[in-house]
Amino acid sequence: MTKRIHSVIALLLLTAAAMAQNASLNVRPRAANLGLKVGILRSGTLDMITDVAGVEVGHTTIIRGDDVRTGVTAVLPHSGNLYHEKVPGAVFVGNGFGKLAGYTQVEEMGDIETPILLSNTTSVPRVADAVISYMLALPGNENVLSINPIVGETNDGYLNDIRGRDVTPDDVFAAIKNAKSGPVEEGSVGAGTGTVAFGFKGGVGTSSRRLPRKLGGYTVGVLVQTNFGGVLTIAGAPVGRELGRYYLREELQQEGSATDRGKGSVMIVIATDAPADARNLKRLAARAMAGIARTGSSVSNGSGDYAIAFSTAQQVRIHIEDKALTRHVELLTNDAMSPLFEAVIEATEEAVYNSLLRAATMTGRGNTVEALPIGKTTEILKKYGAIK
């Protein structure tokens, strides 16, 4: 009986620790809450990737003991059977130091046939295996012989026991099955649980932009998993420099400790309801790197920087039952893409800020990564006229 009581107490303590790690997630502000206006375009209703109708997002956050700080994030282009109703998609590689499963088939065929999953580096094969199992088990897929899972990653090994590969199939299934439209939880959750960005706690962030009706009224939504470095800049304000935490600070000033080595990765998932084909979606994905650059990224040698874009427009979906040799589809012209390029740049930039602002201080593997200090950051933004 005593051993059982001790086990229950230990479980309660672990649960309390996990809750404490995430407690500040609900009170930390988003960029818009600070009065920060990124770019010129209006955001969607939620200012999240789920402003693109039909898109769903789910997280599984894994916090156990002193060393496990990781998770899974799932982005579903629509709630139907993606194998039977594929969406056009594309991938752009900013720097290829990463393990993006499924990339070559997307590059070759121009479509996406599974949910998009994000996790940690060493868990990619296990997550991919779970996605395959999930897809094969869907009603209607009984005769499917090949699945191309899309799984991206960043390395959360500073805070997480990444060698333990603690992500299980059930964690993946939960992220997919719990995915929903509406508000998306941000910060130290899901695939962003153990990440670090610009020397501060990184995480998951999202944002959106909506074009005016005269430009089509289309929406672009972005979700990021931030785990990269550089010199943090927010709406032009040199926040990282002012806070004394940035890439190469130690080498330049010959003092302090190098809290930001510039390494890491960023995964960017882009959704739009604009009727774009794979070619123009790749062009759209490429522009997301301009949004990352605005935040001060160094795009270093050790950073895997990937953007995955897809369209949810009904007329461009690829139905597996359609065996016709030709298709007649209404698509955006090249000229019509330019406003969408601006939208993805702005949404990507703001999504990065939200990932930092919403993330809570995290301790794991004996290391502590502080959250971006809201008070000091607000003062810096006011000093440089980024907010009033």
Side-chain angles (χ1 to χ4, degrees):
M1 181 64 72
T2 302
K3 288 184 178 180
R4 182 177 296 178
I5 292 174
H6 287 165
S7 297
V8 171
I9 291 174
L11 180 61
L12 289 173
L13 289 174
L14 288 176
T15 302
M19 292 175 65
Q21 293 267 22
N22 289 287
S24 60
L25 285 173
N26 296 321
V27 296
R28 289 177 61 87
R30 305 185 79 218
N33 299 137
L34 296 179
L36 193 65
K37 172 61 177 173
V38 178
I40 58 172
L41 297 172
R42 295 181 61 181
S43 64
T45 304
L46 296 172
D47 190 22
M48 293 179 169
I49 192 172
T50 46
D51 283 322
V52 179
V55 174
E56 299 179 337
V57 177
H59 299 299
T60 298
T61 300
I62 308 169
I63 298 178
R64 289 197 299 269
D66 295 327
D67 298 329
V68 180
R69 305 287 185 270
T70 193
V72 181
T73 294
V75 180
L76 280 62
H78 62 74
S79 59
N81 188 324
L82 277 157
Y83 187 84
H84 283 264
E85 194 175 353
K86 308 175 198 292
V87 294
V91 175
F92 181 82
V93 182
N95 191 65
F97 198 156
K99 290 81 186 168
L100 177 57
Y103 163 57
T104 56
Q105 184 170 313
V106 175
E107 179 76 4
E108 183 71 23
M109 305 303 293
D111 58 43
I112 290 173
E113 62 186 30
T114 72
I116 298 164
L117 275 295
L118 306 177
S119 190
N120 71 61
T121 306
T122 59
S123 293
V124 168
R126 293 187 174 183
V127 174
D129 183 68
V131 174
I132 292 172
S133 295
Y134 170 82
M135 294 298 296
L136 291 177
L138 287 179
N141 286 1
E142 292 81 5
N143 296 320
V144 173
L145 302 179
S146 172
I147 293 290
N148 185 49
I150 309 301
V151 183
E153 54 78 29
T154 67
N155 191 314
D156 57 14
Y158 186 69
L159 291 171
N160 175 54
D161 176 20
I162 198 168
R163 289 175 59 88
R165 295 183 289 171
D166 292 283
V167 177
T168 68
D170 285 342
D171 295 323
V172 178
F173 300 153
I176 297 172
K177 293 177 181 179
N178 294 333
K180 62 184 186 303
S181 58
V184 176
E185 194 174 2
E186 297 172 290
S188 307
V189 296
T193 301
T195 62
V196 183
F198 296 106
F200 297 99
K201 184 66 190 71
V204 171
T206 183
S207 184
S208 70
R209 290 296 183 272
R210 181 163 292 161
L211 299 185
R213 188 174 299 276
K214 65 174 62 177
L215 294 175
Y218 303 117
T219 300
V220 173
V222 172
L223 181 141
V224 297
Q225 175 193 17
T226 59
N227 193 54
F228 61 100
V231 185
L232 177 60
T233 303
I234 298 181
V239 174
R241 193 176 68 204
E242 288 279 341
L243 292 174
R245 190 172 300 185
Y246 54 89
Y247 180 47
L248 297 182
R249 177 182 184 274
E250 181 183 32
E251 291 82 354
L252 291 169
Q253 299 189 5
Q254 298 182 346
E255 63 179 35
S257 59
T259 55
D260 182 0
R261 292 291 186 182
K263 297 180 180 179
S265 299
V266 61
M267 294 299 307
I268 311 163
V269 180
I270 304 158
T272 184
D273 56 7
D277 60 6
R279 181 182 61 83
N280 267 328
L281 286 169
K282 185 159 188 173
R283 299 177 70 213
L284 185 69
R287 270 60 179 189
M289 295 302 163
I292 295 297
R294 287 185 180 183
T295 70
S297 169
S298 297
V299 195
S300 72
N301 173 71
S303 186
D305 305 324
Y306 297 86
I308 306 167
F310 61 85
S311 171
T312 64
Q314 289 285 345
Q315 65 264 43
V316 295
R317 292 186 184 179
I318 301 99
H319 298 266
I320 196 170
E321 292 81 10
D322 184 1
K323 303 300 182 182
L325 297 180
T326 60
R327 297 180 67 204
H328 300 278
V329 182
E330 182 180 0
L331 295 172
L332 289 183
T333 64
N334 289 340
D335 287 340
M337 291 299 298
S338 291
L340 293 170
F341 294 162
E342 178 64 29
V344 78
I345 292 170
E346 293 182 10
T348 302
E349 180 184 2
E350 186 171 344
V352 172
Y353 301 152
N354 285 333
S355 75
L356 288 158
L357 291 167
R358 293 287 284 166
T361 296
M362 182 74 69
T363 297
R365 295 186 65 239
N367 302 310
T368 296
V369 179
E370 297 175 353
L372 186 69
I374 301 300
K376 291 181 180 178
T377 299
T378 301
E379 292 175 4
I380 296 167
L381 294 176
K382 288 181 178 179
K383 174 182 175 180
Y384 286 90
I387 60 174
K388 295 181 181 180

